[in-house]
């Protein structure tokens, strides 16, 4: 399955945001910030990564449905996409 350029751009933007958040978490740990603040930021990073993954899966589902509607064989079947989805859930 290939990710279309619009979805890829969105996923890259989310991953870059998460990358910055991770750098922020590292800096918080290095400066001795309160653990509650660190965990809050880690949760935000986790959500950003999950959203990136879900965006990829949503793109795959759309491609799968479009291929089936066109009478073609999708690159990934629904069961494979469901397995990927559940790996993030």
């Amino acid at each position: 399955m290939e990710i279309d350029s619009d979805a890829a751009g969105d996923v890259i933007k989310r991953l870059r945001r998460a990358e910055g958040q991770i750098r922020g978490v590292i800096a918080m740990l290095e400066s001795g910030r309160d653990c509650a603040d660190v965990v809050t930021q880690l949760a935000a990073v986790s959500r950003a990564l999950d959203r990136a993954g879900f965006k990829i899966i949503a793109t795959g589902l759309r491609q799968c449905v479009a291929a089936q509607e066109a009478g073609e064989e999708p690159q990934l079947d629904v069961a494979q996409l469901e397995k990927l989805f559940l790996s993030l859930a």
Side-chain angles (χ1 to χ4, degrees):
M1 171 186 82
E2 290 185 27
I3 302 171
D4 64 59
S5 61
D6 290 337
D10 188 39
V11 169
I12 289 168
K13 183 170 53 173
R14 291 172 192 265
L15 292 174
R16 288 204 171 119
R17 186 176 310 128
E19 179 182 34
Q21 288 173 313
I22 289 170
R23 276 195 228 99
V25 169
I26 292 168
M28 290 172 76
L29 288 168
E30 290 174 340
S31 68
R33 292 280 299 270
D34 182 66
C35 68
D37 294 337
V38 172
V39 171
T40 299
Q41 287 305 308
L42 283 174
V45 171
S46 180
R47 283 190 304 274
L49 293 174
D50 286 345
R51 286 186 182 119
F54 289 134
K55 180 71 173 186
I56 292 169
I57 293 168
T59 298
L61 283 171
R62 281 193 300 276
Q63 290 176 0
C64 183
V65 168
Q68 288 176 339
E69 287 176 351
E72 301 169 0
E73 187 69 30
Q75 291 179 343
L76 289 176
D77 63 25
V78 174
Q80 291 170 311
L81 289 166
E82 182 179 349
K83 184 177 179 180
L84 290 172
F85 175 82
L86 291 173
S87 73
L88 292 175

